[in-house]
Amino acid sequence: MKLLKRGLAAALTFFVLASGAAHAAFPDHPITLIVPYAAGGPMDRLARQLAAKLVPQLHQPIVVLNRGGAGGNIGAVTAKHAAPDGYTLFLDHIHMATAPSLERKLDFKPLEDFTPLGIFVESPLVLIARPGIPADNKDDFLRWLASQAQVSMANAGTGSASFLCGSLLQSGLRKHITMVPYRGTGPAMIDLLSGQVDLMCDLTANAIPQIQAGKVEAIAVTVSQPLIGTALATTPTMRDFGIPIAPLTVWYGLYAPAKAPDPVVRKISEALQNVVRDPEFQKEQADAGLKVIKDERLTPEGHRDFLQAEIKRWGSVIQEPGN
């Protein structure tokens, strides 16, 4: 019996040491980063910048794999079914919080099928108006808004950031706004520029060139503080402008499949935090209208807590009558 116990103890010790060595060796071959949208878009650009900065941290090549389609759901399902060993990572944005309320039958559960690794960048939005709408001060704008029998607002499709912004705006103002969905922000912007629709929310990076060219009017940004150091430094916040809505940003987070080993999670999280501290990476994101995250959302625990709160938040907004 003693010999049996010694043998079992030795085997257990070997297993623990071997497991620790395996985790310590992570990674020892290339990593795949799944992007749930097509190549060439904003998230693809971000993924490739992130991958380039993670390579010297993890000392392995990182292959960006685009799996677009179904509004991001195909990429999420692909990542969900990958081995939870840290060699497949997944990049997504606010879609992870809105998908559960938008899809009647969703083939993944954000909180159960993924291990959050950190939210590392976010982009504010800006409410913009077609030429001719008074936007210099809140009294003129709110007076114009009240005088209109019908106000139209473009968005890039149900569940998009511009859709969410419009939903919050309608709720905050307690005024019916006709939501006009488009297949992307490009067509929506074209109709705003031509005066076919009145208002639109867009990512700051997309809207700034049109604002600077004088083609649209900037009304307010969707964050709680002015965007100092940007082209929108003097643009008021929604609340400053008299529009009572909660802050809204499009945030981007990194995930692994569920049940990824804790040592692997910690190693990737540490690498991600080092990337965020990189001045070159910070400048790349600032140039694209994005802001790096330095608060608790950058940690796996903070990411999970924030995602859980966002799922609840957007569930109530999306399910509100009129949306």
Side-chain angles (χ1 to χ4, degrees), residues 158-208:
T158 302
S160 65
S162 52
F163 166 84
L164 299 175
C165 181
S167 299
L168 288 179
L169 185 66
Q170 181 169 246
S171 177
L173 292 172
R174 298 186 181 278
K175 178 181 176 64
H176 174 72
I177 298 174
T178 301
M179 300 297 174
V180 185
Y182 290 81
R183 292 187 175 183
T185 55
M189 180 65 79
I190 289 172
D191 274 9
L192 183 72
L193 293 173
S194 65
Q196 299 300 307
V197 288
D198 298 317
L199 304 172
M200 177 181 174
C201 278
D202 202 357
L203 297 177
T204 54
N206 295 338
I208 284 175

Side-chain angles (χ1 to χ4, degrees), residues 12 28 35 37 49 60 99 136 144 148 158 166 171 189 193 200 211-212 217 222 244 272 277 306 316-318 323:
L12 180 61
D28 62 5
V35 179
Y37 298 94
Q49 290 175 338
Q60 287 294 332
D136 291 337
W144 170 85
Q148 302 300 301
T158 302
S171 177
M189 180 65 79
L193 293 173
M200 177 181 174
I211 295 168
Q212 290 178 322
E217 301 288 343
T222 63
L272 183 62
R277 297 187 192 103
F306 182 75
S316 64
V317 170
I318 292 167
N323 287 334

Side-chain angles (χ1 to χ4, degrees), residues 237-318:
T237 67
M238 287 279 200
R239 287 192 174 274
D240 290 340
F241 211 80
I243 302 173
I245 72 169
L248 167 62
T249 64
V250 176
W251 43 266
Y252 297 80
L254 191 64
Y255 303 82
K259 299 180 181 179
D262 188 65
V264 171
V265 169
R266 296 298 160 192
K267 188 157 190 177
I268 298 172
S269 173
E270 182 181 349
L272 183 62
Q273 292 178 46
N274 288 337
V275 168
V276 167
R277 297 187 192 103
D278 186 302
E280 185 179 24
F281 183 77
Q282 292 179 13
K283 184 179 185 306
E284 287 175 341
Q285 303 322 306
D287 290 345
L290 298 171
K291 177 184 176 183
V292 299
I293 299 294
K294 298 180 181 179
D295 55 41
E296 64 276 2
R297 291 175 293 170
L298 184 57
T299 67
E301 296 81 10
H303 183 171
R304 174 172 288 279
D305 291 345
F306 182 75
L307 176 59
Q308 188 170 28
E310 285 284 273
I311 290 173
K312 182 178 180 180
R313 175 192 184 189
W314 293 118
S316 64
V317 170
I318 292 167

Side-chain angles (χ1 to χ4, degrees), residues 133-145 217-220 234-238 240-243:
I133 291 180
D136 291 337
N137 64 76
K138 67 179 183 181
D139 293 333
D140 287 347
F141 175 73
L142 295 176
R143 192 178 299 116
W144 170 85
L145 197 64
E217 301 288 343
I219 297 174
T234 60
T235 302
T237 67
M238 287 279 200
D240 290 340
F241 211 80
I243 302 173

Side-chain angles (χ1 to χ4, degrees), residues 40 42 46 56 66 97 113 123 128 151 182 184 191 202 215 221 237 268 295 299:
L46 176 61
N66 298 90
D113 294 330
S123 173
I128 52 181
V151 176
Y182 290 81
D191 274 9
D202 202 357
K215 295 181 178 180
V221 292
T237 67
I268 298 172
D295 55 41
T299 67

